[in-house]
C-alpha cells in the first residue's frame, strides 16, 4: 500500500505518484486532498484521472463544487467542499447517489463532510517547498 512522504519536482512526477495511488483504488474509495491553494491538488487529481482512463480535461471544481469524470469502467467524482457547511450540504449534492453508483471520490476540504468520510479514506497532503517542488504525504 502506497504511503509515506514523497518530494515531487514537476507535474510529471506528481502524475507518476498519482498513477501509483490509482492502482490501489476501487469503486467506493475516497481520497481526501489537503493543502493550500496551488499546492498541487488538481494536478494530482489530473494524474489520477489519466491513470484511471478518464478522457478529457480535469479542472478544479471550486466554483461548481462537483465534477463527474467518466471512463468506460470508472466514475471519478471530484468535490471541492470549501463552500459547504457540513454533512447535510454534502448529502444534498448527491453523496449517497455517488456511493450507490460506485464512484471513486476525490475530496478537497474533506473536513466539511464530517462523518461521511469513511475510516478507510486515503489522505493526501500537499506542502509547497518552493518553485515546482512539493512534499506529498500519503497516509494509510
Amino acid at each position: 500500500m502506497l504511503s509515506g512522504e514523497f518530494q515531487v519536482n514537476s507535474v510529471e512526477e506528481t502524475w507518476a505518484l498519482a498513477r501509483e495511488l490509482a492502482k490501489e483504488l476501487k469503486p467506493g474509495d475516497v481520497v481526501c486532498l489537503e493543502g493550500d491553494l496551488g499546492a498541487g491538488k488538481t494536478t494530482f487529481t489530473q494524474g489520477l484521472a489519466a491513470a484511471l482512463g478518464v478522457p478529457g480535461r480535469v479542472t478544479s471544481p471550486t466554483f461548481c463544487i462537483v465534477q463527474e469524470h467518466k471512463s468506460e469502467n470508472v466514475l471519478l467524482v471530484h468535490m471541492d467542499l470549501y463552500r459547504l457547511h457540513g454533512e447535510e450540504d454534502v448529502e444534498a449534492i448527491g453523496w449517497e447517489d455517488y456511493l450507490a453508483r460506485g464512484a471513486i471520490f476525490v475530496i478537497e476540504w474533506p473536513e466539511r463532510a464530517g462523518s461521511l468520510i469513511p475510516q478507510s479514506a486515503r489522505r493526501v497532503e500537499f506542502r509547497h517547498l518552493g518553485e515546482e517542488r512539493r512534499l506529498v504525504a500519503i497516509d494509510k
Side-chain angles (χ1 to χ4, degrees):
M1 182 175 288
L2 182 66
S3 67
E5 291 188 347
F6 307 89
Q7 182 175 318
V8 295
N9 300 302
S10 66
V11 169
E12 294 78 17
E13 289 180 12
T14 302
W15 277 40
L17 187 57
R19 264 194 310 275
E20 292 304 309
L21 181 59
K23 292 175 185 176
E24 300 177 6
L25 298 178
K26 61 189 182 320
D29 281 350
V30 176
V31 178
C32 298
L33 305 182
E34 300 174 7
D36 295 333
L37 183 66
K41 298 181 297 290
T42 298
T43 300
F44 191 83
T45 303
Q46 291 167 340
L48 280 175
L52 294 169
V54 172
R57 189 165 183 247
V58 172
T59 59
S60 174
T62 299
F63 297 105
C64 60
I65 301 175
V66 179
Q67 289 183 341
E68 291 185 27
H69 305 284
K70 299 176 188 176
S71 73
E72 287 185 29
N73 303 314
V74 173
L75 171 61
L76 180 68
V77 174
H78 187 189
M79 295 182 168
D80 184 328
L81 306 181
Y82 179 75
R83 295 184 294 142
L84 302 185
H85 300 288
E87 291 178 28
E88 288 180 4
D89 287 352
V90 176
E91 288 173 329
I93 62 170
W95 182 268
E96 292 296 326
D97 179 53
Y98 288 124
L99 276 176
R101 292 169 60 196
I104 294 174
F105 293 84
V106 176
I107 310 293
E108 297 185 33
W109 297 91
E111 64 276 6
R112 307 287 169 115
S115 67
L116 295 174
I117 301 293
Q119 290 291 102
S120 61
R122 303 298 302 270
R123 301 209 177 267
V124 183
E125 181 183 351
F126 300 83
R127 285 180 257 154
H128 287 278
L129 297 177
E131 298 292 321
E132 293 291 315
R133 294 182 4 215
R134 307 284 187 269
L135 184 66
V136 182
I138 301 176
D139 289 338
K140 199 72 168 165

